Amino acid sequence: MSKIELKHIDKFYGKNHVLKDLNLTIEDGDFMTLLGPSGCGKTTTLRVVSGLEKPQNGFIYMDGKEIVNAAEAYYAPPSQRNLNLVFQSYALWPHMTVFENVSFGLKIKKIPSAEIEKMVASALERMQIGQYAKRYPTELSGGQQQRVAIARAIVSEPRLLLLDEPLSNLDAKLRVDMRSELKRLHHDTGSTIIYVTHDQVEALTMSTKIALFREGELVQVDKPLELYDNPCDLYTADFIGNPSINFVEASGTAGASGLSVDGVMGRLEFSREDMTPEAPASGDLKLVLGIRPEQITISREKTDAAQVEARVYAGMPAGSETLVSVRVGEKLITVKELGSTHYAGDETVYLSYPPKKVNVFDASTKRLIKYSR
Ligand SMILES: Nc1ncnc2c1ncn2[C@@H]1O[C@H](COP(=O)(O)OP(=O)(O)OP(=O)(O)O)[C@@H](O)[C@H]1O
């Protein structure tokens, strides 16, 4: 078991309020990614969980047992928290070989040496560094050292693993390989993992849940695809997804039956069942539509009255996919197509998209008021 609960956590550095009333539950077996831009408090959260930082307010429970109670100035020391931690800046012991670095903790636990050999070989294999077992850290590149640090953390298959941007020093191809290794490790061991990154693709591909931060506050905690499909506000919608979601202004009228929308992307009608609890009951509204680039289809022929006329601004074929930037009125919209297609600048095209997939935000509150289904 490794369930972590953070309740009402406040952390200040001097006057800088870096964690603001943080409430987050990480269930046993979750791969929870803390996601957000630089400086939003992700690493601080990890340090607070690990015991390297003491929050000024709040409680932390590990499997129901209190490990932090700031009101009573109780902070269980890191050694009693039973977790393994890998930082962005990893510290390997320079006088030990890779094998010795990775096996050190196992020797301390007095595991028989034949077993240690097997466990280390498996961890090094996973990180694709088996051939470097006899080398010293100074004989390795930064990325190789980082993989040794991960191998050292995962070798004992800890119940709770904290990883702070562990793939940041790796090149793009290796990063993709390591993502699948970490995901597989999670599948094989069922460990609880708390993972820090500012890379939303990393978060979407690996996690069972994502906690999105902004300036020390949690904005949304959800399963990756729920976060992608139904971001709770414009900030989240903009942060998640690459290429970014298209935002298009529109006007609307809410009523008992639902929401009528009008704008450059056409007229749309949504029923009350599609609307979030935050949707206004009635009235005229300024809206922002969120339409993902892959939801839009481009055609050279007009075959349906609902299609929206557009003019190609730039077509960008890239082998497996084509990004097309088009103008609808004054607005630039990105469309993503599978495969490579050539579009000429200023060519007239027609766009269609499934209205049920559109997110609608209230422009004044910036909150989601209509789900994508
Ligand atoms: N030891 C410290 N002393 C003072 N301020 C700190 C300290 N550590 C972090 N901060 C500040 O706290 C805020 C949150 O930092 P934190 O490292 O948690 O952000 P982060 O989201 O992990 O960012 P990054 O992705 O850049 O690592 C930042 O404003 C940072 O400058």
Side-chain angles (χ1 to χ4, degrees):
M1 279 269 292
S2 262
K3 175 177 173 177
I4 314 287
E5 292 161 276
L6 292 95
K7 298 213 161 130
H8 302 295
I9 295 290
D10 281 303
K11 175 72 193 168
F12 296 83
Y13 287 115
K15 285 193 177 147
N16 193 3
H17 195 179
V18 297
L19 296 180
K20 299 168 187 161
D21 191 24
L22 200 70
N23 289 285
L24 179 64
T25 299
I26 299 139
E27 297 290 346
D28 183 40
D30 266 354
F31 191 132
M32 171 68 83
T33 296
L34 313 183
L35 176 68
S38 187
C40 67
K42 310 177 296 287
T43 298
T44 304
T45 305
L46 216 55
R47 291 175 67 84
V48 159
V49 171
S50 68
L52 296 173
E53 292 291 348
K54 296 177 176 170
Q56 282 84 354
N57 292 316
F59 304 85
I60 303 180
Y61 302 92
M62 194 173 267
D63 297 331
K65 188 169 159 270
E66 193 172 82
I67 57 168
V68 168
N69 179 339
E72 294 181 5
Y74 173 68
Y75 304 94
S79 58
Q80 282 175 20
R81 298 191 186 190
N82 201 15
L83 44 83
N84 272 6
L85 183 57
V86 179
F87 279 113
Q88 208 168 351
S89 51
Y90 36 87
L92 299 177
W93 293 293
H95 59 289
M96 290 187 191
T97 64
V98 167
F99 180 90
E100 288 162 347
N101 261 285
V102 177
S103 62
F104 186 75
L106 304 177
K107 281 193 187 133
I108 292 197
K109 286 189 193 154
K110 302 220 161 41
I111 293 173
S113 50
E115 186 138 344
I116 291 182
E117 294 270 343
K118 263 206 286 187
M119 291 166 80
V120 174
S122 152
L124 295 183
E125 208 47 50
R126 234 181 230 291
M127 292 297 121
Q128 302 178 17
I129 46 173
Q131 67 274 40
Y132 307 130
K134 294 202 174 81
R135 289 210 197 162
Y136 288 90
T138 50
E139 298 168 326
L140 300 173
S141 71
Q144 289 160 347
Q145 291 183 33
Q146 200 161 19
R147 282 183 280 159
V148 176
I150 301 173
R152 187 172 61 182
I154 64 172
V155 70
S156 57
E157 301 195 349
R159 295 297 306 143
L160 176 60
L161 188 57
L162 308 186
L163 298 168
D164 188 356
E165 308 238 10
L167 309 184
S168 59
N169 272 354
L170 308 184
D171 63 44
K173 182 181 175 316
L174 200 52
R175 208 174 315 144
V176 173
D177 286 355
M178 291 297 126
R179 273 183 208 155
S180 72
E181 287 304 334
L182 287 177
K183 191 159 184 178
R184 185 70 209 188
L185 175 88
H186 179 248
H187 173 267
D188 290 347
T189 62
S191 309
T192 306
I193 297 180
I194 312 180
Y195 189 95
V196 164
T197 186
H198 60 265
D199 180 333
Q200 45 102 13
V201 178
E202 219 164 270
L204 287 172
T205 51
M206 292 200 294
S207 328
T208 57
K209 280 207 198 108
I210 297 176
L212 183 68
F213 281 70
R214 176 180 45 197
E215 294 172 5
E217 283 178 281
L218 274 177
V219 185
Q220 189 169 358
V221 182
D222 238 321
K223 291 180 180 167
L225 292 184
E226 196 48 32
L227 202 67
Y228 186 83
D229 286 340
N230 285 308
C232 68
D233 61 12
L234 288 170
Y235 166 83
T236 311
D238 194 35
F239 196 82
I240 303 283
N242 184 19
S244 302
I245 194 167
N246 294 295
F247 288 137
V248 186
E249 276 109 45
S251 56
T253 308
S257 62
L259 180 67
S260 309
V261 176
D262 196 8
V264 292
M265 293 304 280
R267 282 173 184 275
L268 303 167
E269 292 290 336
F270 300 114
S271 70
R272 272 277 150 198
E273 290 104 72
D274 293 330
M275 295 170 72
T276 72
E278 294 178 46
S282 61
D284 291 337
L285 300 167
K286 287 200 164 123
L287 304 171
V288 177
L289 309 184
I291 312 176
R292 296 273 175 202
E294 70 276 14
Q295 296 297 347
I296 306 174
T297 314
I298 292 193
S299 165
R300 287 192 161 102
E301 263 111 68
K302 181 147 176 117
T303 51
D304 184 340
Q307 282 171 314
V308 176
E309 186 172 320
R311 197 168 279 263
V312 173
Y313 186 71
M316 294 162 284
S320 65
E321 65 184 38
T322 303
L323 293 186
V324 196
S325 180
V326 298
R327 267 194 197 286
V328 178
E330 288 304 302
K331 180 83 197 157
L332 268 184
I333 286 177
T334 305
V335 181
K336 181 174 161 176
E337 275 194 349
L338 278 183
S340 267
T341 312
H342 175 74
Y343 290 98
D346 292 331
E347 189 177 348
T348 298
V349 290
Y350 301 93
L351 311 182
S352 46
Y353 59 94
K356 64 183 176 34
K357 288 284 178 191
V358 173
N359 293 131
V360 183
F361 301 89
D362 184 331
S364 60
T365 62
K366 303 185 168 47
R367 304 286 301 176
L368 183 72
I369 60 166
K370 183 254 157 198
Y371 295 111
S372 156
R373 300 277 196 198

